[in-house]
Amino acid sequence: MQVKTFEEYQQAYTKSVEQPEQFWEEIANHFQWKKKWDKVLEWNFKEPNVKWFQGATLNITENCLDRHLEKNGDTPAIIWEPNDPTEDHRVLTYKQLHDKVCQFANVLKNNGAKKGDRICIYMPMVPELAIAVLACARIGAVHSVVFGGFSAQSIADRIKDAECNIVITADGSYRGTKEVPLKSVIDDALVQCPSIKRVIVLTRSRTPVSMIKGRDVWWEDEIKKVETQGNVECPAEEMDAEDMLFILYTSGSTGKPKGVVHTCGGYMVYTGYTFSNAFQYQPGEIYFCTADIGWITGHSYIAYGPLSQGATVVMFEGIPTWPNAGRFWDIVEKFKVNILYTAPTAIRSLMSFGDDVLKGKDLSSLTKLGSVGEPINEEAWHWFDEKIGHGNCPIVDTWWQTETGGFMISPIAGVTKTKPGYASLPLPGVQPILVDENGKEIEGNGVNGNLCIKFPWPGMLRTTYGDHERCRTTYFTAYENLYFTGDGCLRDEDGYYRITGRVDDVLNVSGHRIGTAEVENAINMHSSVVESAVVGYPHDIKGQGVYAFVVSPGKHGNEELTRKDIIMTVSRIIGPIAKPDKIQFVTGLPKTRSGKIMRRILRKIAEGDTGNLGDTSTLLDPAVVEEIKNGAL
Ligand code: WTA
């Protein structure tokens, strides 16, 4: 399944374009199916309707667990490093992980879970999170993992949208010196969620929690019940290739986050194939992905992709800067990590602490590095290359999205020549195309445009949960017969791709996707706010910061307090990750005569680029621009 040389990559790529069905069929044959497909691919991007491996049945957990047991049952699947370095780490072999997944799958069944049910997971980065995810997949329940940085309101929105009937959570979680009372946040969310019949609570932080009779049960008690029943095995549910595997909510330019739906067969094939190739994973290698399972990176490249390939994955509960900024490097040294996959924002943050924290750390085990989540600036790329990779680890800059399921444009470690800041070339099976505003293809090299994909790949989203029309209008109507990514992109003279960032109203703050409309809605909920406009601005560590222009006549001179109240409101409505970094009070927003906010102007002001604001003559009240410019933070 791995391409080993650049020629092999080119051959694989050509085949994937000329004979996509044969190409993916051969890849799919490397996986374990209960029944093989009747048809490899059926598709159109109009409705859209995309089906891979129709007629096939499988269970992804048999590929991630059972099939490794005979030869590699004692291979570590997960090495878990706790938040507190003085606490013991844990190792789960494939055999142990298999048993725990089966056990918890039986817990889910005992608590009424069935195939097709939606289950919300809100947990810390502990092995039980991976176990919960896989246990859902084992019984054919659809997981909807919500990242720990989201508020009760955001959780409630997601639970209601997916009509979940069970929540899996923990009493609390540790993040550096902070403790987050997860169960208490869930309790607040559930006030709005009558569909939830059961809450399963893992013990982690021993934070006091209120356990509601008849609804809430302890994870540990439920496991004991299963043990006394002697229920260790749990047969894997037979799933159709196109049955739903999970829902993951993500932000777009309008409205509430949408539930991106991935299905069992194609997603399994795609994450396994891309993981194996991009990182050129070899048996025995230790792979450390610093993402949280609450994001797509954790789903695809902590859980499913690596486990389907029998890899050993390091999972980390804490944060890169606690107890100090050397924590990642301690973990690399401790477990002799070979492959480190992290985000530009983490790299920039660690860079800012200077190179002293690197002194005495043995990073010699590293052979491959990876980056994801946002464009990596050249300075960070070089630091990563020189200080962490010592100039001899390829940097795999993986461009992809929640919607794509897996890597799309990425170097293949040791095979593709890398270039700082470039995601480089499309992986086999991926057909990128650049288009101009009118949807006309921009051909040739040395060009810039909007990035689209013109042919389906097995890992792509199938729909947005409960609202297929939204999927169509968000991704498939901007340009006819193309999937539109929302990203701008440059293709240089060598045909190498460099992602330049979002071209829609989506911000990328520390690698987290945040819709400006969502933040505006949250700000506008504050009682003294009339209206607001949110844009991004360049931020040294976060990549982008959140800049809010707020009309609030009622602030009564107490700006500082109002500012804090607004931040609190955003935390409450979305979560701490969406908090504005800057709030500028203004008397009005620049609007066109038809009432549209001219974000272009606000973006320039936020970026500190006020020299040339372009044409402001169409504005309703051009004077407002002067005022905003003068008050810029
Ligand atoms: C951005 C994360 C440049 C991009 C996997 C995309 C990147 C959005 C890269 C998706 C990269 C992700 N280089 N930009 N290597 N990786 N992005 O859904 O703007 O959280 O559209 O998926 O992150 O974010 P998401």
Side-chain angles (χ1 to χ4, degrees):
M1 208 161 75
Q2 285 179 351
V3 298
K4 287 288 171 199
T5 62
F6 195 67
E7 289 66 45
E8 280 178 27
Y9 158 72
Q10 287 174 313
Q11 284 162 8
Y13 190 82
T14 307
K15 173 149 192 192
S16 78
V17 173
E18 288 172 358
Q19 301 174 296
E21 299 198 23
Q22 286 90 329
F23 175 81
W24 284 113
E25 178 157 47
E26 277 167 30
I27 306 292
N29 278 327
H30 290 268
F31 293 80
Q32 189 179 311
W33 304 80
K34 287 182 189 282
K35 176 172 169 284
K36 290 270 176 94
W37 45 91
D38 307 316
K39 192 170 179 196
V40 179
L41 172 65
E42 176 183 305
W43 74 286
N44 72 68
F45 278 176
K46 267 213 154 42
E47 300 173 51
N49 170 37
V50 176
K51 293 197 171 88
W52 284 92
F53 311 115
Q54 265 186 91
T57 64
L58 74 151
N59 188 291
I60 195 168
T61 68
E62 287 187 333
N63 284 268
C64 292
L65 301 168
D66 305 60
R67 72 163 168 161
H68 307 309
L69 295 186
E70 199 182 318
K71 283 202 189 121
N72 294 311
D74 296 328
T75 301
I78 294 177
I79 300 176
W80 175 74
E81 171 71 7
N83 178 60
D84 181 347
T86 62
E87 190 185 328
D88 289 338
H89 71 270
R90 284 167 64 187
V91 178
L92 290 176
T93 63
Y94 272 93
K95 172 88 179 75
Q96 290 163 333
L97 183 60
H98 169 268
D99 292 353
K100 286 194 181 292
V101 168
C102 286
Q103 241 181 5
F104 192 67
N106 285 326
V107 166
L108 289 175
K109 282 198 213 162
N110 280 349
N111 282 279
K114 302 180 308 295
K115 177 174 179 172
D117 285 355
R118 276 83 53 214
I119 297 184
C120 174
I121 302 181
Y122 186 67
M123 287 182 79
M125 274 289 284
V126 292
E128 284 74 13
L129 168 52
I131 291 166
V133 162
L134 293 165
C136 287
R138 187 79 175 177
I139 63 168
V142 177
H143 54 78
S144 166
V145 183
V146 179
F147 174 64
F150 282 113
S151 69
Q153 183 60 50
S154 294
I155 299 167
D157 289 342
R158 287 156 172 76
I159 288 176
K160 284 188 283 189
D161 187 71
E163 295 168 283
C164 298
N165 58 356
I166 296 179
V167 175
I168 309 171
T169 188
D171 46 3
S173 76
Y174 299 119
R175 307 268 303 152
T177 54
K178 275 202 231 124
E179 221 182 283
V180 188
L182 298 180
K183 171 63 163 59
S184 159
V185 179
I186 288 292
D187 287 336
D188 286 346
L190 294 194
V191 172
Q192 301 182 39
C193 304
S195 63
I196 296 296
K197 302 293 177 234
R198 187 69 84 231
V199 182
I200 304 176
V201 186
L202 177 81
T203 308
R204 173 62 186 131
S205 61
R206 303 214 164 262
T207 315
V209 294
S210 60
M211 296 293 282
I212 304 296
K213 198 182 292 166
R215 188 193 72 182
D216 303 350
V217 295
W218 288 107
W219 175 297
E220 294 79 7
D221 293 348
E222 296 303 297
I223 293 285
K224 277 200 202 100
K225 283 188 207 157
V226 170
E227 274 169 356
T228 44
Q229 289 163 359
N231 246 348
V232 196
E233 274 299 316
C234 175
E237 190 73 36
E238 183 162 358
M239 306 296 286
D240 281 335
E242 284 297 338
D243 277 343
M244 237 187 281
L245 175 62
F246 66 85
I247 307 171
L248 186 58
Y249 285 83
T250 191
S251 294
S253 42
T254 55
K256 291 214 161 150
K258 40 191 176 299
V260 168
V261 170
H262 285 288
T263 56
C264 297
Y267 177 83
M268 168 181 78
V269 170
Y270 198 69
T271 52
Y273 175 75
T274 49
F275 172 78
S276 169
N277 268 284
F279 288 121
Q280 293 284 298
Y281 184 83
Q282 301 305 320
E285 285 184 327
I286 310 288
Y287 161 80
F288 175 21
C289 171
T290 68
D292 191 293
I293 290 187
W295 303 111
I296 191 69
T297 305
H299 281 61
S300 300
Y301 298 109
I302 291 180
Y304 293 113
L307 296 178
S308 81
Q309 301 308 298
T312 297
V313 187
V314 176
M315 177 176 175
F316 175 41
E317 182 184 33
I319 58 171
T321 48
W322 191 79
N324 58 59
R327 190 67 195 278
F328 277 1
W329 323 127
D330 290 337
I331 297 173
V332 167
E333 182 170 335
K334 180 170 175 184
F335 301 117
K336 301 202 168 29
V337 169
N338 305 112
I339 309 173
L340 172 67
Y341 187 35
T342 190
T345 186
I347 297 169
R348 285 191 302 265
S349 153
L350 296 177
M351 262 170 82
S352 74
F353 287 88
D355 295 346
D356 274 0
V357 285
L358 288 168
K359 283 213 181 98
K361 312 276 184 209
D362 182 2
L363 303 181
S364 61
S365 56
L366 288 173
T367 56
K368 294 161 240 180
L369 301 174
S371 170
V372 61
E374 54 179 313
I376 179 165
N377 49 309
E378 291 193 20
E379 196 192 350
W381 196 96
H382 286 297
W383 186 84
F384 201 30
D385 179 40
E386 285 155 28
K387 303 290 178 189
I388 307 305
H390 296 107
N392 54 27
C393 300
I395 297 181
V396 181
D397 178 3
T398 60
W399 172 79
W400 59 297
Q401 310 178 295
T402 304
E403 295 86 344
T404 70
F407 307 153
M408 298 291 281
I409 302 181
S410 167
I412 295 175
V415 169
T416 316
K417 213 169 135 280
T418 60
K419 235 186 233 194
Y422 282 77
S424 80
L425 298 171
L427 291 173
V430 176
Q431 300 187 33
I433 153 171
L434 300 186
V435 297
D436 66 16
E437 309 284 80
N438 305 317
K440 205 170 153 297
E441 175 164 8
I442 306 172
E443 289 176 80
N445 288 340
V447 293
N448 240 309
N450 289 342
L451 178 61
C452 294
I453 312 288
K454 65 177 173 197
F455 196 84
W457 62 101
M460 72 184 292
L461 87 164
R462 300 297 195 263
T463 187
T464 46
Y465 190 82
D467 193 351
H468 193 63
E469 180 59 12
R470 192 160 175 214
C471 171
R472 189 179 76 84
T473 53
T474 310
Y475 306 106
F476 297 93
T477 54
Y479 307 108
E480 207 179 326
N481 283 323
L482 298 175
Y483 164 80
F484 176 44
T485 65
D487 280 319
C489 181
L490 172 159
R491 185 168 54 221
D492 77 358
E493 295 301 339
D494 300 327
Y496 266 47
Y497 290 84
R498 177 187 188 130
I499 311 300
T500 49
R502 302 288 304 196
V503 293
D504 53 8
D505 290 319
V506 172
L507 305 183
N508 193 324
V509 180
S510 299
H512 301 157
R513 257 168 86 165
I514 297 175
T516 53
E518 253 180 282
V519 184
E520 287 164 8
N521 288 340
I523 292 175
N524 295 350
M525 287 182 79
H526 186 270
S527 61
S528 75
V529 172
V530 175
E531 63 174 340
S532 63
V534 166
V535 298
Y537 71 96
H539 187 289
D540 284 349
I541 307 279
K542 299 179 174 185
Q544 271 187 312
V546 179
Y547 194 126
F549 297 89
V550 177
V551 181
S552 170
K555 63 185 184 309
H556 296 309
N558 196 347
E559 285 199 10
E560 213 27 61
L561 198 55
T562 311
R563 207 170 260 130
K564 284 186 183 150
D565 288 351
I566 289 173
I567 290 174
M568 181 55 116
T569 311
V570 174
S571 263
R572 178 76 68 199
I573 303 296
I574 306 178
I577 56 170
K579 285 195 284 202
D581 298 279
K582 293 184 179 178
I583 296 178
Q584 180 183 348
F585 290 108
V586 297
T587 54
L589 297 169
K591 287 189 184 164
T592 61
R593 290 200 182 91
S594 59
K596 229 179 130 217
I597 296 173
M598 299 261 299
R599 290 167 181 284
R600 177 179 55 80
I601 292 176
L602 294 175
R603 245 178 253 131
K604 287 210 157 188
I605 294 176
E607 286 166 9
D609 174 18
T610 51
N612 173 21
L613 291 180
D615 183 12
T616 55
S617 63
T618 56
L619 287 181
L620 196 58
D621 177 11
V624 86
V625 175
E626 273 313 299
E627 179 219 302
I628 297 177
K629 222 164 83 175
N630 294 333
L633 302 170

Coordinates of all heavy atoms in Angstrom, one line a residue, residues 250 295-297 341 371-376 397-403 409 423 485-487 499-502 508 511-513, ligand 1:
T250 N -18.4 21.3 12.8 CA -17.4 22.2 12.5 C -18.0 23.5 12.0 O -19.2 23.6 11.6 CB -16.5 21.6 11.4 OG1 -15.3 22.5 11.3 CG2 -17.1 21.5 10.1
W295 N -11.1 16.9 17.9 CA -11.0 17.5 16.5 C -10.8 16.3 15.5 O -10.4 15.2 15.9 CB -9.8 18.4 16.4 CG -9.9 19.5 17.4 CD1 -9.0 19.7 18.5 CD2 -10.8 20.6 17.5 NE1 -9.4 20.8 19.2 CE2 -10.5 21.4 18.6 CE3 -11.9 21.0 16.7 CZ2 -11.2 22.6 19.0 CZ3 -12.6 22.2 17.1 CH2 -12.2 22.9 18.2
I296 N -11.0 16.7 14.3 CA -10.8 15.6 13.2 C -9.4 15.0 13.2 O -9.3 13.8 13.0 CB -11.2 16.2 11.8 CG1 -11.3 15.1 10.8 CG2 -10.2 17.2 11.3 CD1 -12.5 14.2 11.0
T297 N -8.4 15.8 13.5 CA -7.1 15.2 13.5 C -7.0 14.1 14.5 O -6.3 13.1 14.2 CB -6.0 16.3 13.9 OG1 -6.2 17.4 12.9 CG2 -4.6 15.8 13.7
Y341 N 3.7 14.6 15.2 CA 2.7 15.3 14.3 C 2.0 16.4 15.2 O 1.4 16.1 16.2 CB 1.7 14.3 13.9 CG 0.7 14.8 12.9 CD1 1.0 15.7 11.9 CD2 -0.6 14.3 12.9 CE1 0.0 16.1 11.0 CE2 -1.6 14.7 11.9 CZ -1.2 15.6 11.0 OH -2.2 16.0 10.1
S371 N 2.9 18.5 10.3 CA 2.3 19.7 10.7 C 0.9 19.7 10.2 O 0.6 19.2 9.1 CB 3.1 20.9 10.2 OG 2.4 22.1 10.3
V372 N -0.1 20.3 10.9 CA -1.4 20.4 10.5 C -2.2 21.5 11.1 O -1.9 21.9 12.2 CB -2.2 19.1 10.8 CG1 -2.2 18.8 12.3 CG2 -3.6 19.1 10.3
G373 N -3.2 22.0 10.4 CA -4.2 22.8 11.0 C -4.3 24.2 10.5 O -5.3 24.9 10.5
E374 N -3.1 24.7 10.0 CA -3.1 26.1 9.4 C -1.8 26.2 8.6 O -0.9 25.3 8.7 CB -3.1 27.1 10.6 CG -2.0 26.8 11.5 CD -1.8 27.7 12.7 OE1 -1.9 29.0 12.4 OE2 -1.6 27.3 13.8
P375 N -1.7 27.2 7.8 CA -0.5 27.4 7.0 C 0.7 27.5 8.0 O 0.6 28.2 9.0 CB -0.7 28.7 6.3 CG -2.2 28.9 6.2 CD -2.7 28.3 7.5
I376 N 1.8 26.9 7.7 CA 3.0 27.0 8.6 C 3.9 28.1 8.0 O 4.3 28.0 6.8 CB 3.7 25.7 8.9 CG1 4.9 25.8 9.7 CG2 4.0 24.9 7.6 CD1 5.5 24.5 10.3
D397 N 3.8 18.4 5.8 CA 2.8 19.5 6.0 C 1.5 19.1 5.4 O 1.3 19.2 4.2 CB 3.4 20.8 5.4 CG 2.4 22.0 5.6 OD1 1.3 21.8 6.2 OD2 2.7 23.0 5.1
T398 N 0.6 18.6 6.2 CA -0.6 17.9 5.7 C -1.8 18.9 5.6 O -2.2 19.4 6.6 CB -1.1 16.8 6.7 OG1 -1.3 17.4 8.0 CG2 0.0 15.7 6.8
W399 N -2.2 19.2 4.4 CA -3.4 20.0 4.3 C -4.6 19.1 4.1 O -4.6 18.2 3.3 CB -3.3 21.0 3.0 CG -4.7 21.6 2.9 CD1 -5.1 22.7 3.6 CD2 -5.7 21.2 2.0 NE1 -6.4 23.0 3.2 CE2 -6.8 22.1 2.2 CE3 -5.9 20.2 1.1 CZ2 -8.0 22.0 1.6 CZ3 -7.1 20.1 0.4 CH2 -8.2 20.9 0.7
W400 N -5.6 19.4 5.0 CA -6.9 18.7 4.9 C -7.9 19.4 5.8 O -7.6 20.4 6.3 CB -6.7 17.2 5.2 CG -6.2 16.9 6.6 CD1 -4.9 17.3 7.1 CD2 -6.8 16.2 7.6 NE1 -4.8 16.8 8.4 CE2 -6.0 16.2 8.7 CE3 -8.1 15.6 7.7 CZ2 -6.3 15.5 9.9 CZ3 -8.4 15.0 8.9 CH2 -7.5 14.9 10.0
Q401 N -9.1 18.8 5.9 CA -10.2 19.5 6.6 C -11.1 18.4 7.3 O -11.0 17.2 6.9 CB -11.1 20.2 5.6 CG -10.3 21.1 4.7 CD -11.3 21.8 3.7 OE1 -11.9 21.1 2.9 NE2 -11.4 23.1 3.8
T402 N -11.9 18.9 8.2 CA -12.9 18.0 8.8 C -13.7 17.3 7.7 O -13.9 16.1 7.8 CB -13.8 18.8 9.7 OG1 -13.0 19.6 10.7 CG2 -14.8 17.9 10.4
E403 N -14.0 18.0 6.7 CA -14.8 17.5 5.7 C -14.1 16.5 4.8 O -14.8 15.6 4.1 CB -15.3 18.6 4.7 CG -16.3 19.6 5.4 CD -15.5 20.7 6.1 OE1 -14.3 20.6 6.4 OE2 -16.1 21.8 6.5
I409 N -3.5 17.2 0.5 CA -2.3 17.6 -0.2 C -1.2 17.5 0.9 O -1.4 18.1 2.0 CB -2.4 19.0 -0.7 CG1 -3.6 19.1 -1.7 CG2 -1.1 19.5 -1.3 CD1 -3.8 20.5 -2.3
A423 N 2.3 22.6 1.3 CA 1.8 21.3 1.5 C 2.2 20.3 0.4 O 1.9 19.1 0.4 CB 0.3 21.3 1.7
T485 N -13.4 24.1 -1.1 CA -12.7 23.9 0.2 C -12.9 25.1 1.1 O -12.7 25.0 2.3 CB -11.2 23.6 0.0 OG1 -10.6 24.8 -0.5 CG2 -11.0 22.5 -0.9
G486 N -13.1 26.3 0.5 CA -13.1 27.5 1.4 C -11.7 28.1 1.5 O -11.5 29.1 2.2
D487 N -10.7 27.4 1.0 CA -9.3 27.9 1.1 C -8.8 28.5 -0.2 O -9.1 28.1 -1.3 CB -8.3 26.7 1.4 CG -8.4 26.3 2.9 OD1 -8.4 27.3 3.7 OD2 -8.4 25.1 3.2
I499 N -1.1 26.5 0.7 CA -2.5 27.0 1.1 C -2.2 28.4 1.7 O -1.4 28.5 2.6 CB -3.1 26.0 2.2 CG1 -3.0 24.6 1.7 CG2 -4.5 26.5 2.5 CD1 -3.7 24.3 0.4
T500 N -3.0 29.3 1.3 CA -2.8 30.7 1.8 C -3.8 31.1 2.9 O -3.7 32.1 3.4 CB -2.9 31.7 0.6 OG1 -4.1 31.4 -0.1 CG2 -1.7 31.5 -0.3
G501 N -4.8 30.2 3.2 CA -5.7 30.5 4.2 C -7.1 30.6 3.7 O -7.4 30.5 2.5
R502 N -8.1 30.8 4.6 CA -9.5 30.8 4.3 C -9.8 32.0 3.4 O -9.4 33.1 3.7 CB -10.3 30.7 5.5 CG -10.1 29.6 6.4 CD -10.6 28.3 6.0 NE -12.0 28.2 5.7 CZ -12.7 27.1 5.5 NH1 -12.1 25.9 5.7 NH2 -14.0 27.1 5.2
N508 N -9.1 31.0 11.6 CA -8.3 29.8 12.1 C -7.4 30.3 13.3 O -6.4 30.9 13.1 CB -7.4 29.3 10.9 CG -6.9 27.9 11.3 OD1 -6.5 27.7 12.4 ND2 -6.7 27.1 10.3
G511 N -5.3 27.0 15.1 CA -5.7 25.8 14.4 C -7.1 25.4 14.6 O -7.6 24.3 14.2
H512 N -7.9 26.2 15.4 CA -9.3 25.9 15.6 C -10.1 26.7 14.6 O -9.9 27.9 14.5 CB -9.7 26.3 17.0 CG -8.9 25.5 18.1 ND1 -8.8 26.0 19.4 CD2 -8.3 24.4 18.0 CE1 -8.1 25.1 20.0 NE2 -7.7 24.1 19.3
R513 N -11.1 26.1 14.0 CA -11.9 26.8 13.1 C -13.0 27.5 13.8 O -13.8 26.9 14.5 CB -12.6 25.7 12.2 CG -11.9 25.7 10.8 CD -12.4 24.4 10.1 NE -13.6 24.7 9.4 CZ -14.1 23.9 8.5 NH1 -13.4 22.8 8.2 NH2 -15.2 24.1 7.9
Ligands
WTA1 C1 -6.6 24.9 7.5 C2 -8.0 20.4 10.3 C3 -2.6 25.2 5.6 C4 -7.3 25.2 6.2 C5 -7.3 19.2 9.7 C6 -8.5 24.2 6.2 C7 -4.3 24.2 6.7 C8 -8.8 24.2 7.7 C9 -3.5 23.0 6.9 C10 -9.5 23.0 8.1 C11 -2.2 23.0 6.3 C12 -5.5 22.7 7.8 N1 -1.8 24.2 5.7 N2 -3.8 25.3 6.1 N3 -1.4 22.0 6.4 N4 -4.3 22.1 7.5 N5 -5.5 23.9 7.3 O1 -11.5 21.3 9.6 O2 -7.7 26.5 6.1 O3 -10.2 21.9 11.7 O4 -9.6 24.6 5.4 O5 -9.3 20.5 9.8 O6 -7.6 24.4 8.3 O7 -9.6 22.9 9.5 P1 -10.2 21.6 10.2

